[in-house]
Amino acid sequence: MAGPSVELSPVIAASTHWLSRAYPAGSSDTIAHTLSELQARQAVTVAAWLRYPTEVDAALVAIAGPGGSAVLDWRAGSEPEDEEAEEEGWRTWVDEVVVSWAACLLADPALARRGVDAVIAAVPLAHDRPLPYPRNTGGAPAEFRRLLEPDLRDRDAAVLLRHPDLLEPVAEMHRDALLYLLDAEPAGLTSGAVGLAPRDTDSADGE
């Protein structure tokens, strides 16, 4: 796999903006808004790289477009008053699957870890460009720390953004495809959150 492409930037930016508006954390001039948006961006970035893992994939979505936010708007009850308004043009760059997968990652820490590990494994080492997500010894990849290891301020800022019940209408849309892609399966539901168990394991049978 060729790894992430800069052509995904509009999709990542618009999908992050959609999540930040649908699950807000204060006004745009507050630290809470910034921290929540950073977590949304990290989840969206992982989801976008999983959905479009090669440069060809990214180029095709840049040409054809990702589909827009219409169904997401309806699901989350965040439909604009006038979707044809000039300032709503960003919504055409929202990717429904990417947002749904990002919601899954935000609601489920185990799935988020699995997703980040899959992205890291998919991007080859290259000596002619810097790695986009260097690992910290004993910790999460630096670029995805707020997604994987949110501190107290991050959690306080993302009360709505990480609430499994609130995310469920969006997360459930394409969760099955994400679980299949990551070779994982639901291990039970708790308040709308999905636990993970690797496929091909018999640990549950042995208990």
Side-chain angles (χ1 to χ4, degrees):
M1 295 184 181
S5 168
V6 295
E7 293 194 70
L8 289 178
S9 295
V11 172
I12 291 173
S15 299
T16 298
H17 190 53
W18 188 92
L19 275 171
S20 296
R21 286 171 60 107
Y23 304 96
S27 60
S28 59
D29 60 346
T30 63
I31 186 64
H33 176 87
T34 300
L35 292 176
S36 180
E37 187 176 54
L38 285 172
Q39 293 171 72
R41 178 173 290 275
Q42 290 181 13
V44 166
T45 299
V46 174
W49 290 357
L50 288 171
R51 178 154 168 74
Y52 304 109
T54 71
E55 292 182 359
V56 172
D57 294 323
L60 287 175
V61 75
I63 294 171
S69 66
V71 177
L72 290 168
D73 294 334
W74 175 77
R75 281 265 182 161
S78 61
E79 296 163 294
E81 293 184 3
D82 181 8
E83 63 182 13
E84 301 296 330
E86 184 177 349
E87 62 270 19
E88 300 294 343
W90 62 271
R91 292 178 185 272
T92 62
W93 281 101
V94 175
D95 188 296
E96 177 185 306
V97 175
V98 167
V99 171
S100 178
W101 286 5
C104 292
L105 301 178
L106 287 162
D108 188 332
L111 186 57
R113 170 65 68 174
R114 202 176 185 98
V116 170
D117 286 345
V119 166
I120 291 173
V123 179
L125 294 175
H127 300 292
D128 58 345
R129 62 178 173 84
L131 288 174
Y133 31 70
R135 276 192 180 275
N136 290 333
T137 303
E143 189 161 347
F144 302 120
R145 183 194 64 77
R146 294 189 189 278
L147 171 63
L148 298 178
E149 298 176 357
D151 60 23
L152 182 58
R153 288 203 309 168
D154 292 325
R155 291 184 182 279
D156 287 344
V159 171
L160 299 182
L161 184 67
R162 286 181 176 269
H163 195 293
D165 292 334
L166 297 179
L167 289 169
E168 184 61 13
V170 172
E172 70 173 353
M173 294 173 66
H174 299 284
R175 179 187 287 124
D176 288 346
L178 179 61
L179 295 178
Y180 180 82
L181 177 66
L182 296 178
D183 195 27
E185 59 188 12
L189 298 176
T190 303
S191 299
V194 176
L196 287 184
R199 296 185 191 274
D200 301 323
T201 62
D202 56 1
S203 57
D205 295 336
E207 293 180 354

